[in-house]
Amino acid sequence: MSGMPLEFQVAGERRRAALWLPPNFDPGTRWPLVLALHGYGERGDDLEHTRNGLAQVLSDRPELYSAIVALPQCPGDRVWSWIDRPWAQGQGGAEEHVDALLETVLSRLPIDPDRVALTGNSMGGFGSFLIAAQGVERFHAVLPICGGGHPEEACAFGEVPVWIHHGRADDVVPAAESERMAAALRDAGATVRLDLHDGVGHESWDRVWSDPAVASFLCTGRLPGS
């Protein structure tokens, strides 16, 4: 992936995130920001998460995303945001890492603060739901992939559009997780779209992030057809 490491501090601890700039980057322009949260297997501090997922899409098809993209790495002993699931037991949330990275990127780069999108896959899909619910006013679009969240927090999303993706054949995180969140968001009057992909298992994220409509949504905050 064409990009650079960005250093930031979390409670005195030095952390790094991968930062990607679009091919036509102009420092005199204010850009959208896409904040992408990786899955459980990419935790650590070695930036190995930049070898797959959205990072790989950016490497293969850089023309898709007219935005700055920040890809933080969750510490190895944490999850993006805790939820009552077996894989998250005994591990704290890393919300302050996301907060610190967002503050750093907004202060150092020419980003439009009204055009910040949050997306993620698997553990990052859960993180997208959970972190957005804790401060949705920071985001203009949310796109969780094969994740889940707390349906009781659906009222926190307000008018921010949420586009949910999940493979129907997912045997790691059941599609019912996304279906429950979509139903709760609709009941709360939120703007939500759910796409369930037939014959697709857990690793649905490459096809989702490679979709020009998804890239446009993350950059503009407008759902297709809206």
Side-chain angles (χ1 to χ4, degrees):
M1 182 187 74
S2 174
M4 65 189 80
L6 175 73
E7 292 191 2
F8 62 102
Q9 296 283 324
V10 182
E13 176 188 356
R14 173 180 169 271
R15 296 293 300 174
R16 293 185 304 155
L19 187 70
W20 182 86
L21 304 179
N24 60 339
F25 176 72
D26 174 2
T29 298
R30 290 168 72 83
W31 294 85
L33 173 69
V34 176
L35 179 61
L37 308 180
H38 61 70
Y40 190 87
E42 287 76 49
R43 298 178 303 162
D45 57 8
D46 53 12
L47 299 187
E48 283 295 305
H49 65 305
T50 62
R51 294 181 180 271
N52 51 38
L54 180 54
Q56 187 60 54
V57 173
L58 294 171
S59 179
D60 294 342
R61 302 182 64 187
E63 74 284 355
L64 278 180
Y65 285 82
S66 185
I68 295 171
V69 182
L71 302 107
Q73 189 169 23
C74 186
D77 59 350
R78 299 198 185 193
V79 293
W80 287 123
S81 188
W82 190 85
I83 191 168
D84 188 12
R85 300 292 186 275
W87 50 268
Q89 296 301 317
Q91 301 174 83
E95 295 93 342
E96 72 273 23
H97 291 250
V98 176
D99 295 342
L101 173 63
L102 186 55
E103 181 179 346
T104 300
V105 173
L106 289 171
S107 67
R108 295 186 189 175
L109 290 162
I111 290 167
D112 181 349
D114 294 326
R115 291 189 294 165
V116 178
L118 180 62
T119 186
N121 62 294
S122 196
M123 179 184 76
F126 281 89
S128 297
F129 277 122
L130 300 170
I131 290 173
Q134 296 166 18
V136 77
E137 69 280 353
R138 298 175 293 176
F139 307 111
H140 78 152
V142 181
L143 192 141
I145 306 170
C146 57
H150 297 136
E152 63 272 19
E153 294 179 343
C155 58
F157 284 78
E159 297 181 358
V160 174
V162 183
W163 191 0
I164 306 168
H165 290 263
H166 216 121
R168 288 189 188 273
D170 194 330
D171 59 359
V172 177
V173 178
E177 293 269 14
S178 285
E179 291 178 291
R180 279 194 292 270
M181 286 303 299
L185 287 163
R186 290 191 191 101
D187 289 346
T191 302
V192 58
R193 170 173 167 170
L194 171 64
D195 281 19
L196 297 176
H197 302 283
D198 292 330
V200 177
H202 187 56
E203 294 186 2
S204 57
W205 45 85
D206 287 341
R207 65 180 290 161
V208 174
W209 280 324
S210 296
D211 184 344
V214 165
S216 176
F217 170 69
L218 290 172
C219 294
T220 68
R222 293 191 294 272
L223 282 167
S226 63

